[in-house]
Amino acid sequence: MVGPPPLQGLKVLEFAGLAPGPFAGLLLADAGAKVLRIDRHARGDSSAAPTPDTLTRHKSSVVVDLKSADGVRLVSELAKTADVIIDPFRPGVLEKLGLGPDVLCAANPRLIYGRMTGFRRDGRYATMAGHDINYLAVSGVLSLLGRSGEKPHAPVNILADFAGGGATLFQGILLAVISREKTGRGQVVEANMVDGANYLATFPRHLLKTPTGDRPRGENVLDGGCPYYDTYETKDGKYMAVGALEPQFYAALVRGLGLQREHWVARRYDRETWSEMRRKFEASFKSKTRLEWERIFDGTDACCTPILEYSELEADADRGGDQRPAVTLRETPCLAVEQNVTDTVTLGQGPGVTGRGYTGNTLAPGEGGEEALSSWFGLTRGKDFDVENGSYLLKKSKSKL
């Protein structure tokens, strides 16, 4: 018998922010938590409008004017019975509003106050602005990324923003939930993207002291220096990925490439052979299309797979185009990940971009907010709160909380 999602009943207040905070909220929402996003009131200024957010599955929203005393009072009251708060702002922002952990945790000792910064709160960069590339840079991780002889190259903002930031904060919140079961008390959970990214690089940092990773960036086994752990262009301009590290996997690779006569299997660790090996790998992969190579390597242990683009995944369910929760709990599964949704999303000042499947639903500011306040917090519009000019505020009279 399948039970409810693992975090059902957990009430989360997520202050709208850039991607890492909403991603932590998304992970909680996918696991069944009730996540209420607190969007900022625009005050008629389009530049102050909430940043369009596609990480909104299973969430609701209220618009709150945090420059208004009544708006701040509303958040304070909601926090009295909330389980988790997600603070994505730079240090001191919510404290100046009277919504810092000292105030809210005193009013609700069970509250888990999750806050995330880019740089460390106590480091030399604590007061500075930054983005994913900056956090990777000072964590040391960026020094590991890129080809030999080229400048360090930051990937799309997965490593610091999402893995080191949002996912790490999510982990910290879950640890605090477990701790609360033992102690009955919540606590402040602090995450930063520098330490998060650095922690993810624990294994590569260890490799720096071993023959596997002690050479300059891009010249090691796992960073593009090794010909049988690399990517190769095919005849049609697409690419294949090769990761044939073990001898039996390497043997299957060279057989598939038609290069078994080169007698490299026993000498694959000999770097003197790598330049010639790479040249022949490149020539071989260039001789066939990606589809032809797929037909050769599918079902084998050659560790040779196509590099698929998201447009291909979205168009072909057989390739695994559906996105699924990161883990499967058999008895208390997470909520479904919606697919095949078409939305137009505007990011920054650029044009709207229409996507399918991986774009996700956008959540309009205030969408589902009244229902959430009623069903999650027991508040009634007109009695406990009002909506004025699109902004939610607590009435002067005493609330139900």
Side-chain angles (χ1 to χ4, degrees):
M1 183 176 180
V2 176
L7 298 185
Q8 180 172 302
L10 201 73
K11 293 186 291 188
V12 180
L13 300 178
E14 174 199 306
F15 284 93
L18 296 178
F23 186 59
L26 175 73
L27 294 171
L28 292 167
D30 281 350
K34 297 176 179 178
V35 179
L36 181 61
R37 190 178 73 182
I38 301 173
D39 277 299
R40 283 172 280 181
H41 180 62
R43 286 183 176 269
D45 179 1
S46 60
S47 66
T51 302
D53 183 5
T54 61
L55 302 173
T56 57
R57 282 194 301 260
H58 313 301
K59 298 180 185 178
S60 299
S61 165
V62 290
V63 178
V64 178
D65 184 356
L66 294 178
K67 295 182 179 180
S68 160
D70 289 333
V72 171
R73 286 177 59 240
L74 174 61
V75 175
S76 297
E77 289 296 310
L78 296 178
K80 290 180 180 178
T81 55
D83 294 290
V84 177
I85 278 183
I86 296 177
D87 168 13
F89 302 124
R90 291 171 72 172
V93 171
L94 289 182
E95 285 84 348
K96 290 179 181 178
L97 297 174
L99 298 173
D102 290 347
V103 175
L104 299 187
C105 292
N108 177 6
R110 290 181 56 81
L111 181 65
I112 295 168
Y113 197 110
R115 54 185 185 176
M116 178 171 49
T117 58
F119 297 115
R120 293 172 172 171
R121 287 177 175 267
D122 60 351
R124 62 184 292 184
Y125 309 108
T127 62
M128 294 169 52
H131 281 295
D132 181 282
I133 191 171
N134 307 113
Y135 312 137
L136 288 181
V138 302
S139 73
V141 175
L142 189 53
S143 69
L144 303 176
L145 307 177
R147 287 289 190 178
S148 174
E150 298 179 1
K151 64 182 182 180
H153 179 73
V156 177
N157 64 328
I158 298 172
L159 283 181
D161 278 355
F162 291 99
T168 298
L169 179 61
F170 170 69
Q171 178 189 37
I173 290 171
L174 294 184
L175 293 174
V177 169
I178 295 171
S179 177
R180 191 177 67 175
E181 291 297 310
K182 301 174 183 178
T183 67
R185 297 185 63 85
Q187 59 185 297
V188 177
V189 177
E190 292 190 350
N192 71 77
M193 298 172 215
V194 171
D195 287 331
N198 199 329
Y199 202 91
L200 289 168
T202 297
F203 181 66
R205 289 188 69 178
H206 291 171
L207 289 184
L208 294 174
K209 308 296 183 181
T210 73
T212 302
D214 62 357
R215 291 174 178 260
R217 177 183 65 253
E219 297 181 16
N220 298 285
V221 173
L222 300 179
D223 63 3
C226 176
Y228 45 91
Y229 200 91
D230 205 348
T231 62
Y232 291 92
E233 187 177 3
T234 58
K235 184 177 181 179
D236 53 345
K238 297 183 183 297
Y239 292 87
M240 297 290 288
V242 172
L245 295 176
E246 290 78 7
Q248 68 274 26
F249 302 156
Y250 180 85
L253 173 70
V254 295
R255 281 198 303 271
L257 292 174
L259 299 173
Q260 61 267 38
R261 294 183 180 180
E262 301 294 338
H263 305 294
W264 283 328
V265 174
R267 299 181 60 208
R268 69 188 187 285
Y269 290 131
D270 182 359
R271 287 177 176 266
E272 296 298 320
T273 69
W274 282 9
S275 293
E276 180 188 5
M277 189 186 301
R278 189 184 302 277
R279 286 194 298 271
K280 293 197 174 182
F281 281 8
E282 289 172 344
S284 185
F285 276 109
K286 273 279 196 175
S287 70
K288 292 181 174 61
T289 66
R290 195 188 72 183
L291 181 59
E292 290 175 312
W293 286 119
E294 288 184 69
R295 289 169 177 163
I296 290 172
F297 287 114
D298 277 3
T300 74
D301 283 342
C303 300
C304 186
T305 54
I307 297 179
L308 302 176
E309 298 176 4
Y310 277 109
S311 58
E312 297 178 272
L313 292 174
E314 293 166 16
D316 187 354
D318 289 339
R319 290 190 180 275
D322 57 325
Q323 189 181 33
R324 303 179 184 181
V327 295
T328 299
L329 280 70
R330 293 293 184 184
E331 301 300 325
T332 57
C334 293
L335 301 180
V337 177
E338 301 94 338
Q339 293 298 303
N340 300 326
V341 177
T342 301
D343 281 301
T344 298
V345 183
T346 302
L347 300 176
Q349 302 301 315
V353 178
T354 299
R356 178 174 176 268
Y358 289 87
T359 301
N361 286 317
T362 54
L363 180 68
E367 183 179 344
E370 184 171 342
E371 179 183 353
L373 292 182
S374 174
S375 62
W376 302 1
F377 295 96
L379 300 182
T380 302
R381 182 172 182 173
K383 181 180 180 182
D384 303 300
F385 70 92
D386 280 322
V387 181
E388 296 181 3
N389 298 320
S391 182
Y392 287 70
L393 51 86
L394 196 69
K395 288 181 69 68
K396 300 293 184 182
S397 60
K398 186 177 181 180
S399 76
K400 291 182 178 180
L401 296 177

